[in-house]
Protein backbone atom coordinates (compact mmCIF):
# COMPACT_ATOMS: atom_id res chain seq x y z
CA UNK A 1 0.00 0.00 0.00
CA UNK A 2 3.11 2.19 0.14
CA UNK A 3 3.07 3.34 -3.47
CA UNK A 4 -0.13 5.36 -2.98
CA UNK A 5 1.13 7.32 -0.01
CA UNK A 6 2.64 10.32 -1.70
CA UNK A 7 -0.73 11.22 -3.22
CA UNK A 8 -2.29 11.48 0.21
CA UNK A 9 0.17 13.96 1.75
CA UNK A 10 -2.00 17.08 1.69
CA UNK A 11 -5.26 15.25 2.16
CA UNK A 12 -7.70 13.99 4.73
CA UNK A 13 -7.79 10.21 4.29
CA UNK A 14 -9.91 7.61 6.01
CA UNK A 15 -11.31 4.11 5.53
CA UNK A 16 -15.02 3.65 4.87
CA UNK A 17 -16.73 0.32 5.51
CA UNK A 18 -20.23 -0.80 6.57
CA UNK A 19 -22.52 -3.79 7.05
CA UNK A 20 -20.12 -6.01 8.98
CA UNK A 21 -23.06 -8.05 10.30
CA UNK A 22 -20.92 -9.59 13.03
CA UNK A 23 -22.50 -12.80 14.32
CA UNK A 24 -24.11 -13.58 10.97
CA UNK A 25 -25.14 -17.18 10.46
CA UNK A 26 -25.06 -18.13 6.80
CA UNK A 27 -27.04 -21.26 5.82
CA UNK A 28 -26.75 -22.48 9.44
CA UNK A 29 -22.98 -21.88 9.41
CA UNK A 30 -21.45 -19.25 11.74
CA UNK A 31 -19.29 -16.73 9.87
CA UNK A 32 -17.43 -15.65 13.01
CA UNK A 33 -14.03 -17.02 11.86
CA UNK A 34 -14.52 -15.40 8.44
CA UNK A 35 -15.35 -12.14 10.16
CA UNK A 36 -12.31 -12.38 12.44
CA UNK A 37 -10.13 -12.89 9.36
CA UNK A 38 -11.80 -9.94 7.62
CA UNK A 39 -11.28 -7.64 10.62
CA UNK A 40 -7.60 -8.71 10.80
CA UNK A 41 -7.34 -7.52 7.19
CA UNK A 42 -9.03 -4.22 8.05
CA UNK A 43 -6.61 -3.67 10.94
CA UNK A 44 -3.71 -4.24 8.55
CA UNK A 45 -5.10 -1.63 6.14
CA UNK A 46 -5.31 0.82 9.05
CA UNK A 47 -1.65 0.33 9.94
CA UNK A 48 -1.06 2.85 7.16
CA UNK A 49 -1.01 5.97 9.35
CA UNK A 50 -2.13 8.23 6.50
CA UNK A 51 -5.65 7.02 7.31
CA UNK A 52 -6.83 9.36 10.05
CA UNK A 53 -10.13 7.62 10.72
CA UNK A 54 -12.21 4.46 10.29
CA UNK A 55 -15.89 5.07 9.51
CA UNK A 56 -18.32 2.15 9.93
CA UNK A 57 -21.64 3.17 8.36
CA UNK A 58 -24.00 0.91 10.30
CA UNK A 59 -24.92 -2.75 10.79
CA UNK A 60 -21.96 -3.56 13.01
CA UNK A 61 -23.94 -6.55 14.23
CA UNK A 62 -26.31 -8.87 12.42
CA UNK A 63 -28.89 -8.81 15.18
CA UNK A 64 -30.24 -6.29 17.68
CA UNK A 65 -29.24 -8.77 20.41
CA UNK A 66 -25.84 -9.82 19.05
CA UNK A 67 -24.31 -13.19 19.93
CA UNK A 68 -21.62 -13.25 22.67
CA UNK A 69 -19.09 -14.29 19.99
CA UNK A 70 -19.93 -11.22 17.91
CA UNK A 71 -19.62 -8.82 20.85
CA UNK A 72 -16.29 -10.37 21.91
CA UNK A 73 -14.98 -10.13 18.35
CA UNK A 74 -15.88 -6.44 17.96
CA UNK A 75 -14.54 -5.60 21.41
CA UNK A 76 -11.18 -7.24 20.71
CA UNK A 77 -11.03 -5.61 17.27
CA UNK A 78 -11.49 -2.12 18.75
CA UNK A 79 -8.98 -2.88 21.51
CA UNK A 80 -6.23 -4.20 19.24
CA UNK A 81 -6.80 -1.45 16.67
CA UNK A 82 -6.49 1.27 19.30
CA UNK A 83 -3.42 -0.43 20.79
CA UNK A 84 -1.63 -0.01 17.42
CA UNK A 85 -3.14 3.32 16.39
CA UNK A 86 -3.91 5.53 19.42
CA UNK A 87 -4.29 8.47 17.04
CA UNK A 88 -6.95 6.76 14.89
CA UNK A 89 -10.48 8.16 15.22
CA UNK A 90 -13.13 5.45 14.99
CA UNK A 91 -16.57 6.60 13.85
CA UNK A 92 -19.51 4.23 14.20
CA UNK A 93 -23.22 4.74 13.53
CA UNK A 94 -26.03 2.25 14.07
CA UNK A 95 -27.79 0.46 11.21
CA UNK A 96 -31.22 -1.15 11.02
CA UNK A 97 -29.83 -4.46 12.29
CA UNK A 98 -28.22 -2.84 15.35
CA UNK A 99 -30.02 -1.98 18.56
CA UNK A 100 -29.21 1.70 18.99
CA UNK A 101 -29.18 1.58 22.79
CA UNK A 102 -27.09 -1.58 22.98
CA UNK A 103 -24.57 -0.42 20.38
CA UNK A 104 -24.48 2.97 22.13
CA UNK A 105 -23.42 1.46 25.47
CA UNK A 106 -20.64 3.57 27.05
CA UNK A 107 -20.57 6.07 24.17
CA UNK A 108 -19.82 9.03 26.47
CA UNK A 109 -16.75 7.17 27.81
CA UNK A 110 -15.58 5.81 24.45
CA UNK A 111 -15.69 9.30 22.91
CA UNK A 112 -12.81 10.25 25.23
CA UNK A 113 -10.77 7.46 23.60
CA UNK A 114 -11.55 8.56 20.05
CA UNK A 115 -14.25 5.95 19.49
CA UNK A 116 -17.39 7.86 18.47
CA UNK A 117 -20.69 5.97 18.56
CA UNK A 118 -23.70 7.82 17.20
CA UNK A 119 -26.90 5.83 17.66
CA UNK A 120 -29.51 8.59 18.13
CA UNK A 121 -30.52 10.65 15.06
CA UNK A 122 -30.83 13.69 17.37
CA UNK A 123 -27.02 13.57 17.77
CA UNK A 124 -26.36 13.61 14.01
CA UNK A 125 -25.90 17.39 13.88
CA UNK A 126 -22.97 17.35 16.32
CA UNK A 127 -19.89 16.65 14.17
CA UNK A 128 -16.60 15.01 15.10
CA UNK A 129 -13.69 17.20 14.02
CA UNK A 130 -10.71 15.39 12.52
CA UNK A 131 -7.60 17.17 11.21
CA UNK A 132 -5.99 16.11 7.94
CA UNK A 133 -2.28 15.70 7.28
CA UNK A 134 -1.67 19.36 6.40
CA UNK A 135 -3.77 20.86 9.16
CA UNK A 136 -7.03 21.05 7.18
CA UNK A 137 -10.11 20.39 9.33
CA UNK A 138 -12.78 17.84 8.49
CA UNK A 139 -16.20 17.74 10.20
CA UNK A 140 -17.73 14.23 10.26
CA UNK A 141 -21.49 13.99 10.78
CA UNK A 142 -22.96 10.54 11.54
CA UNK A 143 -26.61 9.79 10.79
CA UNK A 144 -27.77 6.46 12.25
CA UNK A 145 -30.55 4.43 10.63
CA UNK A 146 -33.81 6.35 10.95
CA UNK A 147 -36.21 4.03 12.71
CA UNK A 148 -39.85 5.19 12.36
CA UNK A 149 -40.67 7.85 14.95
CA UNK A 150 -37.06 8.72 15.86
CA UNK A 151 -37.39 12.28 14.54
CA UNK A 152 -40.24 14.77 14.89
CA UNK A 153 -41.13 17.66 12.64
CA UNK A 154 -43.66 20.45 12.66
CA UNK A 155 -46.08 19.74 9.86
CA UNK A 156 -47.34 23.28 9.35
CA UNK A 157 -47.48 22.69 5.60
CA UNK A 158 -47.65 19.44 3.60
CA UNK A 159 -44.18 18.06 3.02
CA UNK A 160 -43.07 18.49 -0.57
CA UNK A 161 -43.42 15.42 -2.82
CA UNK A 162 -45.74 13.56 -0.48
CA UNK A 163 -49.03 15.51 -0.23
CA UNK A 164 -51.29 12.46 -0.66
CA UNK A 165 -50.13 10.62 2.42
CA UNK A 166 -50.92 13.63 4.61
CA UNK A 167 -54.50 13.78 3.38
CA UNK A 168 -54.99 10.09 4.04
CA UNK A 169 -53.86 10.39 7.67
CA UNK A 170 -56.71 10.08 10.16
CA UNK A 171 -54.82 11.97 12.88
CA UNK A 172 -55.62 15.66 13.21
CA UNK A 173 -52.39 17.62 13.22
CA UNK A 174 -52.46 21.24 14.40
CA UNK A 175 -50.16 23.66 12.62
CA UNK A 176 -46.89 24.07 14.50
CA UNK A 177 -47.23 20.82 16.44
CA UNK A 178 -44.27 18.40 16.24
CA UNK A 179 -45.30 14.90 15.16
CA UNK A 180 -43.14 11.78 14.86
CA UNK A 181 -42.16 10.97 11.29
CA UNK A 182 -42.67 7.43 9.99
CA UNK A 183 -41.50 6.91 6.42
CA UNK A 184 -37.81 6.79 5.46
CA UNK A 185 -38.40 9.54 2.91
CA UNK A 186 -39.81 12.01 5.45
CA UNK A 187 -37.35 11.09 8.19
CA UNK A 188 -34.40 11.57 5.86
CA UNK A 189 -35.79 14.85 4.53
CA UNK A 190 -36.05 16.21 8.06
CA UNK A 191 -32.56 14.93 8.91
CA UNK A 192 -31.17 16.45 5.70
CA UNK A 193 -32.59 19.89 6.55
CA UNK A 194 -31.03 19.79 10.02
CA UNK A 195 -27.71 18.44 8.70
CA UNK A 196 -27.45 21.07 5.99
CA UNK A 197 -27.94 23.85 8.58
CA UNK A 198 -25.27 22.26 10.81
CA UNK A 199 -22.93 21.76 7.84
CA UNK A 200 -23.22 25.42 6.79
CA UNK A 201 -22.50 26.48 10.35
CA UNK A 202 -19.28 24.44 10.27
CA UNK A 203 -18.26 25.93 6.91
CA UNK A 204 -18.82 29.44 8.29
CA UNK A 205 -16.66 28.55 11.28
CA UNK A 206 -13.79 27.77 8.89
CA UNK A 207 -14.03 23.97 8.51
CA UNK A 208 -12.43 22.86 5.19
CA UNK A 209 -14.21 19.54 4.55
CA UNK A 210 -17.55 18.04 5.57
CA UNK A 211 -18.33 14.32 5.54
CA UNK A 212 -21.57 12.49 6.25
CA UNK A 213 -21.83 8.85 7.30
CA UNK A 214 -25.36 7.39 6.98
CA UNK A 215 -27.28 4.11 6.88
CA UNK A 216 -30.09 4.42 4.35
CA UNK A 217 -31.47 3.23 0.99
CA UNK A 218 -30.50 5.79 -1.65
CA UNK A 219 -33.06 6.05 -4.45
CA UNK A 220 -31.89 4.33 -7.63
CA UNK A 221 -29.23 2.13 -5.96
CA UNK A 222 -28.93 -1.62 -6.37
CA UNK A 223 -29.49 -4.25 -3.73
CA UNK A 224 -27.07 -7.16 -3.47
CA UNK A 225 -29.47 -9.85 -2.28
CA UNK A 226 -28.67 -10.16 1.43
CA UNK A 227 -30.15 -6.92 2.79
CA UNK A 228 -33.34 -6.62 4.77
CA UNK A 229 -34.73 -3.54 3.04
CA UNK A 230 -37.97 -1.65 2.75
CA UNK A 231 -39.96 -1.94 -0.42
CA UNK A 232 -41.32 1.04 -2.31
CA UNK A 233 -39.84 4.40 -3.25
CA UNK A 234 -41.50 6.17 -0.26
CA UNK A 235 -38.95 4.25 1.82
CA UNK A 236 -36.00 5.38 -0.28
CA UNK A 237 -33.99 8.53 0.10
CA UNK A 238 -33.06 11.15 -2.49
CA UNK A 239 -29.29 11.35 -2.02
CA UNK A 240 -29.24 14.84 -3.57
CA UNK A 241 -30.55 16.17 -0.25
CA UNK A 242 -27.03 15.58 1.05
CA UNK A 243 -25.16 17.01 -1.93
CA UNK A 244 -23.52 19.75 0.13
CA UNK A 245 -21.14 17.25 1.73
CA UNK A 246 -17.71 16.62 0.27
CA UNK A 247 -18.27 12.89 0.75
CA UNK A 248 -21.20 10.72 1.86
CA UNK A 249 -20.16 7.33 3.32
CA UNK A 250 -23.16 5.06 2.98
CA UNK A 251 -24.16 1.75 4.53
CA UNK A 252 -27.28 -0.46 4.14
CA UNK A 253 -26.91 -1.82 0.61
CA UNK A 254 -24.34 -4.61 0.45
CA UNK A 255 -23.11 -3.90 -3.07
CA UNK A 256 -20.11 -1.59 -3.52
CA UNK A 257 -21.45 1.23 -5.70
CA UNK A 258 -21.61 4.93 -6.36
CA UNK A 259 -24.93 6.35 -5.15
CA UNK A 260 -24.58 10.05 -5.98
CA UNK A 261 -22.11 12.67 -7.19
CA UNK A 262 -19.98 12.27 -4.04
CA UNK A 263 -21.81 9.41 -2.29
CA UNK A 264 -20.65 5.80 -2.17
CA UNK A 265 -21.72 2.52 -0.66
CA UNK A 266 -18.63 0.61 0.49
CA UNK A 267 -20.83 -2.50 0.45
CA UNK A 268 -20.40 -5.30 2.97
CA UNK A 269 -16.81 -6.57 3.25
CA UNK A 270 -18.04 -10.17 3.03
CA UNK A 271 -20.66 -11.76 0.77
CA UNK A 272 -23.78 -12.78 2.68
CA UNK A 273 -25.69 -14.49 -0.13
CA UNK A 274 -24.70 -16.77 -3.01
CA UNK A 275 -26.10 -14.13 -5.39
CA UNK A 276 -23.14 -12.00 -4.23
CA UNK A 277 -20.55 -14.65 -5.16
CA UNK A 278 -19.37 -12.62 -8.15
CA UNK A 279 -19.48 -9.16 -6.47
CA UNK A 280 -16.22 -7.45 -5.59
CA UNK A 281 -15.93 -6.91 -1.85
CA UNK A 282 -13.80 -3.99 -0.71
CA UNK A 283 -12.83 -1.53 1.99
CA UNK A 284 -12.84 2.01 0.63
CA UNK A 285 -9.84 4.21 1.18
CA UNK A 286 -11.15 7.76 0.73
CA UNK A 287 -8.98 10.84 0.31
CA UNK A 288 -10.43 14.34 0.38
CA UNK A 289 -8.89 17.63 -0.60
CA UNK A 290 -10.80 20.94 -0.27
CA UNK A 291 -12.40 21.96 -3.54
CA UNK A 292 -11.60 18.70 -5.32
CA UNK A 293 -13.53 15.54 -6.12
CA UNK A 294 -13.04 12.71 -3.59
CA UNK A 295 -10.46 10.07 -4.49
CA UNK A 296 -11.82 6.57 -3.94
CA UNK A 297 -9.42 3.66 -3.70
CA UNK A 298 -11.21 0.29 -3.34
CA UNK A 299 -9.02 -2.17 -1.42
CA UNK A 300 -10.09 -5.77 -2.18
CA UNK A 301 -11.01 -7.84 0.88
CA UNK A 302 -9.37 -11.27 1.02
CA UNK A 303 -12.02 -13.61 2.43
CA UNK A 304 -11.15 -16.67 4.49
CA UNK A 305 -13.37 -18.64 2.09
CA UNK A 306 -14.85 -17.54 -1.19
CA UNK A 307 -18.42 -18.24 -2.31
CA UNK A 308 -18.89 -20.47 -5.36
CA UNK A 309 -21.89 -21.74 -7.28
CA UNK A 310 -21.62 -24.93 -9.35
CA UNK A 311 -24.27 -26.33 -11.66
CA UNK A 312 -24.65 -29.92 -12.86
CA UNK A 313 -26.26 -33.30 -12.30
CA UNK A 314 -26.22 -34.98 -8.90
CA UNK A 315 -24.15 -37.88 -10.22
CA UNK A 316 -21.47 -35.61 -11.64
CA UNK A 317 -20.89 -34.17 -8.15
CA UNK A 318 -21.50 -37.36 -6.17
CA UNK A 319 -18.87 -39.28 -8.13
CA UNK A 320 -16.42 -36.41 -7.87
CA UNK A 321 -13.72 -36.65 -5.23
CA UNK A 322 -13.44 -32.86 -5.16
CA UNK A 323 -10.01 -32.96 -3.53
CA UNK A 324 -7.62 -34.16 -6.23
CA UNK A 325 -5.59 -31.34 -7.71
CA UNK A 326 -6.51 -32.32 -11.29
CA UNK A 327 -10.22 -31.99 -10.59
CA UNK A 328 -12.11 -28.98 -11.94
CA UNK A 329 -13.72 -28.83 -8.51
CA UNK A 330 -10.46 -28.79 -6.50
CA UNK A 331 -10.79 -25.08 -5.67
CA UNK A 332 -14.53 -25.22 -5.13
CA UNK A 333 -14.01 -27.95 -2.52
CA UNK A 334 -12.35 -25.25 -0.38
CA UNK A 335 -15.10 -22.66 -0.95
CA UNK A 336 -18.50 -22.11 0.58
CA UNK A 337 -20.49 -23.84 -2.07
CA UNK A 338 -23.96 -23.79 -3.52
CA UNK A 339 -24.73 -26.59 -5.95
CA UNK A 340 -27.58 -26.16 -8.40
CA UNK A 341 -28.79 -29.58 -9.52
CA UNK A 342 -30.05 -29.93 -13.05
CA UNK A 343 -31.75 -33.32 -12.52
CA UNK A 344 -35.46 -33.52 -13.25
CA UNK A 345 -36.16 -35.77 -10.26
CA UNK A 346 -35.68 -34.77 -6.62
CA UNK A 347 -32.71 -36.11 -4.65
CA UNK A 348 -33.46 -36.74 -0.99
CA UNK A 349 -31.08 -35.11 1.50
CA UNK A 350 -28.50 -34.09 -1.13
CA UNK A 351 -26.61 -31.77 1.25
CA UNK A 352 -25.49 -34.61 3.53
CA UNK A 353 -24.57 -36.80 0.56
CA UNK A 354 -22.51 -34.12 -1.16
CA UNK A 355 -20.83 -32.88 2.02
CA UNK A 356 -18.53 -35.93 1.97
CA UNK A 357 -17.07 -34.59 -1.28
CA UNK A 358 -17.40 -30.88 -0.64
CA UNK A 359 -16.82 -30.16 3.09
CA UNK A 360 -17.96 -26.50 2.91
CA UNK A 361 -21.11 -27.04 0.88
CA UNK A 362 -23.91 -24.95 2.42
CA UNK A 363 -26.74 -25.06 -0.08
CA UNK A 364 -28.27 -27.30 -2.73
CA UNK A 365 -30.93 -26.04 -5.10
CA UNK A 366 -33.22 -28.42 -6.92
CA UNK A 367 -35.44 -25.96 -8.75
CA UNK A 368 -35.33 -27.92 -12.00
CA UNK A 369 -36.78 -30.96 -10.24
CA UNK A 370 -39.37 -28.86 -8.37
CA UNK A 371 -40.45 -27.15 -11.57
CA UNK A 372 -40.68 -30.54 -13.28
CA UNK A 373 -42.81 -31.78 -10.40
CA UNK A 374 -45.17 -28.82 -10.78
CA UNK A 375 -45.63 -29.53 -14.47
CA UNK A 376 -46.52 -33.14 -13.69
CA UNK A 377 -48.94 -32.21 -10.92
CA UNK A 378 -50.58 -28.98 -12.08
CA UNK A 379 -49.66 -28.75 -15.71
CA UNK A 380 -48.05 -25.36 -15.05
CA UNK A 381 -44.92 -24.38 -16.87
CA UNK A 382 -41.75 -23.76 -14.86
CA UNK A 383 -41.85 -20.08 -15.91
CA UNK A 384 -44.82 -19.59 -13.55
CA UNK A 385 -42.54 -20.54 -10.71
CA UNK A 386 -39.84 -18.04 -11.48
CA UNK A 387 -39.52 -15.02 -9.23
CA UNK A 388 -39.86 -14.87 -5.46
CA UNK A 389 -42.82 -12.50 -5.56
CA UNK A 390 -44.90 -14.86 -7.64
CA UNK A 391 -43.97 -17.75 -5.42
CA UNK A 392 -45.00 -15.80 -2.33
CA UNK A 393 -48.50 -15.23 -3.66
CA UNK A 394 -48.89 -18.76 -4.98
CA UNK A 395 -47.68 -20.91 -2.10
CA UNK A 396 -49.95 -21.58 0.86
CA UNK A 397 -50.43 -24.45 3.29
CA UNK A 398 -52.73 -26.24 0.83
CA UNK A 399 -50.03 -26.28 -1.83
CA UNK A 400 -47.52 -27.62 0.66
CA UNK A 401 -49.93 -30.37 1.69
CA UNK A 402 -50.35 -31.34 -1.97
CA UNK A 403 -46.60 -31.28 -2.38
CA UNK A 404 -46.06 -33.63 0.58
CA UNK A 405 -48.76 -35.97 -0.76
CA UNK A 406 -47.05 -36.04 -4.13
CA UNK A 407 -43.59 -36.69 -2.76
CA UNK A 408 -44.25 -38.91 0.27
CA UNK A 409 -47.79 -40.17 -0.34
CA UNK A 410 -48.86 -38.65 2.99
CA UNK A 411 -48.94 -35.20 4.59
CA UNK A 412 -47.11 -35.31 7.90
CA UNK A 413 -48.95 -33.15 10.48
CA UNK A 414 -45.71 -31.94 12.12
CA UNK A 415 -44.29 -30.82 8.77
CA UNK A 416 -47.51 -28.98 7.98
CA UNK A 417 -47.54 -27.27 11.37
CA UNK A 418 -43.91 -26.23 10.96
CA UNK A 419 -44.64 -24.89 7.48
CA UNK A 420 -47.54 -22.81 8.84
CA UNK A 421 -45.32 -21.47 11.60
CA UNK A 422 -42.55 -20.50 9.16
CA UNK A 423 -45.00 -18.91 6.75
CA UNK A 424 -46.43 -16.79 9.57
CA UNK A 425 -42.95 -15.86 10.78
CA UNK A 426 -42.03 -14.70 7.27
CA UNK A 427 -45.19 -12.61 7.05
CA UNK A 428 -44.54 -11.00 10.44
CA UNK A 429 -40.90 -10.36 9.53
CA UNK A 430 -41.89 -8.75 6.25
CA UNK A 431 -44.36 -6.47 7.99
CA UNK A 432 -41.72 -5.41 10.53
CA UNK A 433 -38.79 -5.22 8.16
MN1 LIG B 1 -26.81 -4.44 6.27
Amino acid sequence: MREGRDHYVSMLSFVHTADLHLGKVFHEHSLIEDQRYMLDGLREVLEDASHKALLIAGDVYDRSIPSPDAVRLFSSFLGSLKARRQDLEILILSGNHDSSSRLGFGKELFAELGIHLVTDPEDATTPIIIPGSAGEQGAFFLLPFLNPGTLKAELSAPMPQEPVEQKASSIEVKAGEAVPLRSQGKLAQEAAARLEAARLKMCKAGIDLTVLGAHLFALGSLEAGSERVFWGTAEQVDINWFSGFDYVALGHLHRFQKAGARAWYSGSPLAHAFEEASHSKVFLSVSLEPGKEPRINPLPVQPLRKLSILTGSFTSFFQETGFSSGSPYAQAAQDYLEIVLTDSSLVENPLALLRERFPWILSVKQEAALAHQMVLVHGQSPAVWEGAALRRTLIDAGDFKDFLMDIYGEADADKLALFQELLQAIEVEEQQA
Side-chain angles (χ1 to χ4, degrees):
M1 219 107 358
R2 288 263 153 194
E3 68 274 14
R5 264 192 93 144
D6 287 345
H7 301 292
Y8 297 155
V9 166
S10 67
M11 289 181 176
L12 175 53
S13 297
F14 57 95
V15 171
H16 163 199
T17 188
D19 297 281
L20 309 182
H21 287 264
L22 303 182
K24 172 97 182 168
V25 175
F26 181 51
H27 290 271
E28 299 178 28
H29 176 80
S30 164
L31 292 179
I32 204 79
E33 288 311 318
D34 304 77
Q35 295 175 327
R36 190 187 315 282
Y37 190 84
M38 176 273 292
L39 289 176
D40 286 348
L42 179 55
R43 204 174 38 227
E44 258 170 51
V45 165
L46 288 162
E47 276 174 15
D48 176 351
S50 66
H51 293 126
K52 301 295 176 195
L54 166 66
L55 195 163
I56 305 175
D59 284 356
V60 170
Y61 296 117
D62 189 55
R63 294 173 172 274
S64 59
I65 302 179
S67 67
D69 275 352
V71 177
R72 271 197 295 268
L73 176 58
F74 195 53
S75 178
S76 75
F77 168 69
L78 291 179
S80 60
L81 187 55
K82 268 289 176 183
R84 289 179 206 201
R85 287 285 314 273
Q86 276 103 323
D87 63 315
L88 184 80
E89 301 285 343
I90 302 174
L91 313 174
I92 301 164
L93 56 100
S94 49
N96 55 316
H97 283 249
D98 299 308
S99 152
S100 51
S101 22
R102 291 193 184 94
L103 187 64
F105 167 80
K107 61 185 175 186
E108 298 83 356
L109 302 172
F110 290 138
E112 301 283 314
L113 302 169
I115 300 173
H116 308 273
L117 291 151
V118 178
T119 58
D120 181 349
E122 293 285 350
D123 297 335
T125 49
T126 308
I128 298 118
I129 309 298
I130 299 176
S133 56
E136 65 273 55
Q137 301 280 306
F140 286 72
F141 295 84
L142 304 179
L143 179 65
F145 180 73
L146 294 162
N147 282 302
T150 47
L151 285 179
K152 288 183 175 184
E154 290 178 9
L155 298 179
S156 49
M159 304 277 278
Q161 297 176 8
E162 294 180 63
V164 186
E165 203 182 318
Q166 277 312 303
K167 225 168 82 185
S169 168
S170 58
I171 307 159
E172 278 286 305
V173 178
K174 288 186 204 123
E177 192 183 340
V179 295
L181 302 173
R182 299 264 153 215
S183 82
Q184 284 298 289
K186 282 183 189 174
L187 282 158
Q189 201 168 24
E190 172 64 19
R194 295 184 192 186
L195 281 163
E196 184 56 11
R199 191 189 71 79
L200 289 172
K201 210 167 126 190
M202 280 293 124
C203 292
K204 264 192 195 149
I207 286 286
D208 304 290
L209 292 159
T210 55
V211 175
L212 173 66
H215 194 87
L216 49 80
F217 193 147
L219 194 69
S221 299
L222 296 172
E223 296 162 52
S226 59
E227 302 95 338
R228 190 198 296 161
V229 295
F230 291 102
W231 285 12
T233 51
E235 300 299 346
Q236 299 180 7
V237 174
D238 186 345
I239 208 67
N240 291 319
W241 294 338
F242 304 102
S243 59
F245 289 91
D246 293 291
Y247 182 77
V248 184
L250 292 170
H252 193 38
L253 299 186
H254 292 181
R255 194 194 286 264
F256 160 49
Q257 62 191 300
K258 192 173 186 178
R262 288 186 295 278
W264 293 80
Y265 282 101
S266 62
S268 59
L270 293 177
H272 294 142
F274 280 103
E275 293 103 294
E276 297 173 37
S278 63
H279 297 183
S280 51
K281 294 297 182 184
V282 299
F283 301 119
L284 286 186
S285 169
V286 181
S287 296
L288 302 177
E289 207 176 341
K292 294 197 175 165
E293 287 303 306
R295 292 167 57 109
I296 313 296
N297 187 15
L299 309 171
V301 177
Q302 289 301 325
L304 183 61
R305 292 189 191 285
K306 287 192 305 187
L307 264 56
S308 286
I309 304 174
L310 294 178
T311 302
S313 71
F314 178 76
T315 325
S316 70
F317 293 113
F318 191 62
Q319 289 174 347
E320 177 60 43
T321 60
F323 300 106
S324 59
S325 57
S327 156
Y329 302 129
Q331 174 54 48
Q334 302 309 312
D335 293 347
Y336 290 134
L337 194 60
E338 177 172 84
I339 287 184
V340 180
L341 295 180
T342 51
D343 310 71
S344 60
S345 54
L346 281 170
V347 178
E348 212 171 330
N349 207 1
L351 203 58
L353 292 171
L354 292 172
R355 188 160 279 144
E356 291 171 27
R357 270 81 182 162
F358 302 95
W360 301 101
I361 187 171
L362 296 180
S363 161
V364 175
K365 282 193 169 172
Q366 304 202 65
E367 279 172 7
L370 286 171
H372 189 72
Q373 206 75 33
M374 290 315 299
V375 176
L376 293 181
V377 175
H378 296 298
Q380 285 168 327
S381 84
V384 176
W385 290 85
E386 277 174 16
L390 261 180
R391 207 164 313 161
R392 193 168 292 121
T393 57
L394 286 175
I395 288 182
D396 63 28
D399 289 330
F400 186 63
K401 190 177 178 183
D402 291 345
F403 171 78
L404 291 177
M405 292 297 288
D406 291 333
I407 303 295
Y408 300 108
E410 57 173 9
D412 179 59
D414 286 347
K415 279 182 184 152
L416 272 177
L418 180 62
F419 181 81
Q420 282 282 25
E421 205 178 302
L422 290 171
L423 205 62
Q424 272 164 16
I426 289 167
E427 272 163 22
V428 168
E429 194 171 287
E430 283 186 348
Q431 278 160 16
Q432 291 173 345

